Amino acid sequence: MAARTGDEMSGPALLLAGLALSGSPVPGSWLLAGLTASAAVGGPLLGALLDRAGRPGRMVGWCLLGYTAGLLAVLLGLGRLPDAALVAVAALAGLLGPALTGGWTSQLPLVVPPDRLARANALDAISYNVAGLVGPAAVAAVAAATSGQTAVLVSAALLLAAVPPAWTLPPRRPTPAPGNATASDATATDGAASDGAATDDTTTTGAAAGGTAAGGAALRRELAAGFGAIARNASLRRATATSMVSFCGVAVLVVGTPLLGAELTGEASYGALLLAVTAAAALAANTAAARLRRWEPRPDTVLAGSTLLLGAAMALAAGVAHTGGPFALAVLAAALAGAAEGPQLTALLAVRHREAPPRLRGQIFTTGASLKITSYAGGAALAGPLAAYDLGAALLAGAMLQALAAGVYRLLSRPSGRLREPSGTSAAG
């Protein structure tokens, strides 16, 4: 929870710090884009390494330390170093960002039995919502009392507090290879099946233990297997593509909300409070869904419906920006956005848990997270200049991206073979 709260604080805190020092949303939005753009590179690699690691929690701990160091370096350089240099530092830190999201979630099977995984997934999604609620609210409170720079420090402290729990996550449980495993399955089985021992992959290929070339070849095969699991499985492919387009629009909402609060009230901190309203609504929606035992819609259906609702919420926010108020309508738009975001995330995680082959779970979660984060970076990079020109137009563009995401979902739902492949098929690997 500490890591996710610190992560949720880091983006708004950087936005407010950049806005305070420059008076423009552009530097802050570019820092946010730099922090998230490199996730496309870091996510798949981190996922492969997590799948190979005997103690994946320790790798998550090192990633937390590196991400924190990057945030502090950006903070120290604000107002002292060129913006381009700070964006580069943020991009280096962003390589580790997927470990703070998908990296944690992919470790659920290590701490809960299979029959409790569905409930654990729902609680895990709720923890994202709680962090999304506490993070922006904490940024608003700290920024109002002190400054955006102090909010960055608080974010870093929370990230550091999460290192000891990550370090003590249990080791990966040995997974004996099935008797009818194919050669490709044996190759895809990662070395994390034994705590620090040589990988099955290395054994299968006959490579020399510890050989650099063999290790690199094995890692490349595992990276290809992770992408293949998403590309070849219809449900994973559809959910990933839909969430990428949708999250690009969510970045517009995150960048535009502080500006909307500032325009309507004269205080940018009210924008962070609007983000807290969004997170509170997401938490409430997920909590209510968790209590509905009699009606459990397919996560794929929830993913599509929540994306449409998110688009409607952003369209309402755009209308508020164009008309200049009232602030109560901005609160309503934020609440509707949260009521969509919460179930959308839960549905996405449920699809990944349902479809991911166990041997590729870490890669699928971190690769999926990295693709979303990178899409978010693109949205953040465009949102700053567009919001500076016309905030209402920026929010309307975000709403249109949600409509596009719903269209992508519909397009990828057209029959073209099986909708869902069994999670254990070799095609996924």
Side-chain angles (χ1 to χ4, degrees), residues 173-287:
R173 291 187 290 268
T175 305
N180 61 349
T182 64
S184 61
D185 287 339
T187 300
T189 302
D190 54 71
S194 57
D195 192 2
T199 65
D200 292 342
D201 190 66
T202 305
T203 302
T204 302
T205 58
T212 303
L219 184 59
R220 286 193 295 272
R221 283 194 297 272
E222 291 170 8
L223 288 171
F227 278 105
I230 294 175
R232 297 175 185 175
N233 183 292
S235 293
L236 282 174
R237 181 172 65 246
R238 181 178 62 187
T240 300
T242 301
S243 65
M244 284 178 64
V245 179
S246 176
F247 218 51
C248 183
V250 169
V252 179
L253 181 69
V254 173
V255 171
T257 296
L259 300 177
L260 182 59
E263 282 193 3
L264 297 179
T265 67
E267 294 289 340
S269 60
Y270 277 86
L273 287 176
L274 286 178
L275 290 177
V277 169
T278 299
L283 173 61
N286 273 346
T287 302

Side-chain angles (χ1 to χ4, degrees), residues 5 60 110 151 155 178 193 209 240 277 295 297 331 335 337 340-341 374 388 391 408:
T5 302
V60 172
L110 296 183
S155 170
T240 300
V277 169
W295 183 63
V331 173
E341 276 193 68
T374 303
L391 177 58
V408 169

Side-chain angles (χ1 to χ4, degrees), residues 382-394:
L382 295 173
L386 184 56
Y389 174 74
D390 189 326
L391 177 58

Side-chain angles (χ1 to χ4, degrees), residues 1-9 100-106 108 118-136 279-280 282-287 290 341-343 345-346 349 353:
M1 182 64 70
R4 287 174 178 167
T5 302
D7 184 34
E8 291 289 343
M9 287 186 67
L100 280 63
T101 51
W104 280 99
T105 300
S106 67
L108 280 180
R119 179 169 176 78
N121 174 60
L123 295 175
D124 183 53
I126 288 175
S127 75
Y128 279 97
N129 302 143
V130 173
L133 168 63
V134 175
L283 173 61
N286 273 346
T287 302
E341 276 193 68
L345 175 61
T346 302
L349 296 180
H353 277 301

Side-chain angles (χ1 to χ4, degrees), residues 1-425:
M1 182 64 70
R4 287 174 178 167
T5 302
D7 184 34
E8 291 289 343
M9 287 186 67
S10 62
L14 283 179
L15 283 169
L16 291 182
L19 181 63
L21 289 174
S22 67
S24 168
V26 176
S29 68
W30 278 100
L31 283 175
L32 181 59
L35 193 66
T36 52
S38 54
V41 177
L45 181 59
L46 285 172
L49 294 176
L50 282 171
D51 283 338
R52 292 163 63 95
R55 298 298 298 263
R58 295 188 177 181
M59 181 174 294
V60 172
W62 283 115
C63 290
L64 284 166
L65 290 172
Y67 191 86
T68 304
L71 284 181
L72 293 177
V74 171
L75 178 62
L76 291 174
L78 280 171
R80 299 181 179 89
L81 297 177
D83 289 345
L86 296 179
V87 170
V89 173
L92 288 175
L95 289 170
L96 307 175
L100 280 63
T101 51
W104 280 99
T105 300
S106 67
Q107 305 312 308
L108 280 180
L110 296 183
V111 295
V112 297
D115 60 338
R116 297 177 59 188
L117 185 58
R119 179 169 176 78
N121 174 60
L123 295 175
D124 183 53
I126 288 175
S127 75
Y128 279 97
N129 302 143
V130 173
L133 168 63
V134 175
V139 170
V142 173
T146 55
S147 65
Q149 293 92 314
T150 305
V152 177
L153 290 175
V154 174
S155 170
L158 288 171
L159 292 169
L160 290 175
V163 174
W167 203 260
T168 56
L169 281 173
R172 194 180 303 279
R173 291 187 290 268
T175 305
N180 61 349
T182 64
S184 61
D185 287 339
T187 300
T189 302
D190 54 71
S194 57
D195 192 2
T199 65
D200 292 342
D201 190 66
T202 305
T203 302
T204 302
T205 58
T212 303
L219 184 59
R220 286 193 295 272
R221 283 194 297 272
E222 291 170 8
L223 288 171
F227 278 105
I230 294 175
R232 297 175 185 175
N233 183 292
S235 293
L236 282 174
R237 181 172 65 246
R238 181 178 62 187
T240 300
T242 301
S243 65
M244 284 178 64
V245 179
S246 176
F247 218 51
C248 183
V250 169
V252 179
L253 181 69
V254 173
V255 171
T257 296
L259 300 177
L260 182 59
E263 282 193 3
L264 297 179
T265 67
E267 294 289 340
S269 60
Y270 277 86
L273 287 176
L274 286 178
L275 290 177
V277 169
T278 299
L283 173 61
N286 273 346
T287 302
R291 293 178 178 273
L292 290 176
R293 303 288 185 181
R294 298 180 181 177
W295 183 63
E296 294 184 2
R298 294 178 68 247
D300 312 77
T301 304
V302 174
L303 181 64
S306 58
T307 300
L308 288 171
L309 179 58
L310 186 55
M314 295 191 68
L316 176 59
V320 174
H322 276 302
T323 60
F327 185 71
L329 279 180
V331 173
L332 176 60
L336 288 175
E341 276 193 68
Q344 184 190 58
L345 175 61
T346 302
L348 178 62
L349 296 180
V351 171
R352 288 178 185 165
H353 277 301
R354 185 188 71 195
E355 302 292 336
R359 67 181 183 275
L360 299 174
R361 186 176 298 274
Q363 291 182 66
I364 287 173
F365 273 87
T366 56
T367 299
S370 70
L371 291 172
K372 276 186 64 179
I373 294 171
T374 303
S375 180
Y376 182 94
L382 295 173
L386 184 56
Y389 174 74
D390 189 326
L391 177 58
L395 291 170
L396 185 59
M400 294 173 66
L401 283 170
Q402 303 307 321
L404 178 61
V408 169
Y409 180 93
R410 183 174 179 83
L411 177 65
L412 295 181
S413 297
R414 292 179 177 175
S416 58
R418 288 178 299 174
L419 175 64
R420 177 174 178 258
E421 299 171 9
S423 61
T425 60

